[in-house]
Amino acid sequence: MAPQFFTISCTRAVMATPAILLFFATCVAQFISAVQGNNNVVNRNNNNGMIRGATHTVVVESSSLAASDENDNVAGVNHVHKSHHKNHVPPDRKKSSHHDENHKNIDNSFDFYVFSMTFQPEFCSEKHEAPEGCHHPKQIWDRLTIHGLWPNNDDGTYPQNCSNEKFDLTSLQPIRDELEQQWPNIKALPNSASHGEFWEHEWSKHGTCTGLSQLEYFSKAVKMLMPTPSIVKDAETQHSVVKKDDLLAVYGGAQLAALVCKKNYLSEVRVCHQKETDGNVGKRMDCPQSILRESSCGSEIRIASFRMEEEEESATVE
């Protein structure tokens, strides 16, 4: 650029005046100016390159530090980076795009799903200091409700905590009512600040390994809940027992469910589902031996009740 600028300027100087002194003075001055201008451009480019490199380094370091200490001052830099990222996401797709990005690299190479249902009256009866919800249980809790949807491997191992994606309760707003009914947290009632911790735990430990978004994961689970068998409700009302073989028959047979008991009271029912190629939940399947070995009920299963818990409390007071 400098030589061309020099040639044009010199030609104009010769045409403008025949004075040799003016010719040389003009040419030398403009040549020096052009060279200095190029040097300034190079320096600005170099400085910009250094700034870009420094910014990238700060963002990476602030992300690492913020993960280990959320109160660190560099978390503010990370916040700026996140806001910048959000500006590139269409407003109506912020949540879904964020989840899609988080789940692209999740290794969901597990073999199948375990869907675990817990019998809430037994949960309350086994606690020495019963949670708040056990003192005033809702009628809708008097049944089997969801414990979790868990990725598993055939050999008995299972993945857990597969990403650091934070639980976002607001993303579950479309199914919030269903969650409260099908997947309740009776340890912390809705007016409690810790009410969402049960869902958060299940998402962080298990849901992050599925490759599903948070809304997909919880939506699929609430649709999978099976009705509590009538023989369980009858035994609860009559303070009687359920034969293990009869209860297994309701769930399709001994290969299709694991019955978990505590002190021979029915605690959980676990069934298995296929995993589809895209990570979605498939049809029910025979449970591998690794899951069937979790069965711990005797031939006759006792059924707890919320009323039994109330009676025990009354006896203690008297």
Side-chain angles (χ1 to χ4, degrees):
M1 180 178 179
Q4 183 180 4
F5 185 80
F6 173 80
T7 302
I8 295 171
S9 299
C10 288
T11 301
R12 289 178 177 175
V14 172
M15 295 174 65
T17 175
I20 296 177
L21 184 59
L22 183 59
F23 167 75
F24 278 110
T26 302
C27 292
V28 170
Q30 293 184 355
F31 179 80
I32 292 173
S33 177
V35 172
Q36 289 177 340
N38 281 337
N39 286 338
N40 287 338
V41 172
V42 172
N43 288 337
R44 281 196 298 271
N45 287 339
N46 286 342
N47 287 338
N48 285 338
M50 292 172 65
I51 291 171
R52 283 195 297 270
T55 302
H56 177 70
T57 302
V58 170
V59 169
V60 172
E61 290 180 350
S62 69
S63 298
S64 301
L65 292 172
S68 60
D69 184 359
E70 294 180 356
N71 295 321
D72 199 301
N73 289 333
V74 297
V77 178
N78 195 38
H79 175 71
V80 172
H81 174 71
K82 288 180 178 178
S83 298
H84 173 74
H85 174 73
K86 285 182 179 179
N87 289 338
H88 289 79
V89 181
D92 61 338
R93 294 187 59 199
K94 283 183 180 179
K95 292 297 182 184
S96 60
S97 296
H98 172 68
H99 290 151
D100 290 343
E101 188 65 28
N102 281 334
H103 295 284
K104 280 180 181 178
N105 298 320
I106 297 297
D107 178 15
N108 61 345
S109 56
F110 56 92
D111 296 318
F112 66 98
Y113 283 100
V114 170
F115 184 62
S116 186
M117 298 168 283
T118 187
F119 193 61
Q120 292 293 356
E122 191 283 326
F123 173 80
C124 286
S125 67
E126 71 180 72
K127 304 297 180 185
H128 295 295
E129 295 182 5
E132 183 180 359
C134 295
H135 294 291
H136 304 285
K138 295 182 179 180
Q139 183 62 36
I140 198 169
W141 296 344
D142 192 6
R143 59 179 178 141
L144 286 162
T145 60
I146 300 172
H147 182 173
L149 178 61
W150 308 332
N152 266 256
N153 294 313
D154 291 334
D155 62 3
T157 63
Y158 58 90
Q160 60 179 336
N161 304 107
C162 296
S163 83
N164 59 1
E165 181 185 346
K166 298 296 183 183
F167 175 70
D168 180 13
L169 184 57
T170 61
S171 71
L172 306 181
Q173 196 58 39
I175 60 167
R176 185 62 184 271
D177 290 342
E178 292 175 90
L179 278 176
E180 297 289 358
Q181 295 180 15
Q182 317 281 45
W183 202 332
N185 180 6
I186 66 176
K187 292 179 67 175
L189 298 182
N191 59 353
S192 169
S194 58
H195 181 61
E197 290 182 356
F198 181 27
W199 301 325
E200 180 178 9
H201 168 78
E202 292 298 314
W203 166 255
S204 299
K205 184 174 182 179
H206 304 289
T208 56
C209 301
T210 63
L212 303 174
S213 71
Q214 296 186 37
L215 182 58
E216 289 172 333
Y217 174 73
F218 286 98
S219 294
K220 291 182 184 300
V222 296
K223 292 177 182 177
M224 294 168 63
L225 184 61
M226 306 169 72
T228 301
S230 59
I231 58 174
V232 170
K233 298 301 297 177
D234 290 343
E236 177 187 5
T237 303
Q238 300 167 9
H239 298 285
S240 59
V241 297
V242 174
K243 292 189 178 298
K244 178 181 178 180
D245 290 342
D246 291 344
L247 186 53
L248 285 172
V250 173
Y251 289 102
Q255 300 301 313
L256 286 168
L259 306 179
V260 179
C261 285
K262 294 182 179 179
K263 297 181 179 179
N264 213 39
Y265 278 95
L266 180 66
S267 175
E268 298 209 349
V269 177
R270 296 172 184 168
V271 296
C272 302
H273 284 258
Q274 297 172 351
K275 184 199 75 173
E276 297 180 352
T277 54
D278 59 357
N280 275 309
V281 183
K283 298 178 180 179
R284 281 190 63 193
M285 54 174 274
D286 287 355
C287 289
Q289 286 300 313
S290 58
I291 301 302
L292 295 178
R293 282 195 294 267
E294 297 175 358
S295 293
S296 55
C297 297
S299 59
E300 292 187 338
I301 303 172
R302 303 171 72 184
I303 306 297
S305 68
F306 285 128
R307 289 174 294 282
M308 183 178 72
E309 178 69 16
E310 293 170 358
E311 291 168 1
E312 290 179 355
E313 287 184 356
S314 299
T316 301
V317 172
E318 293 174 358

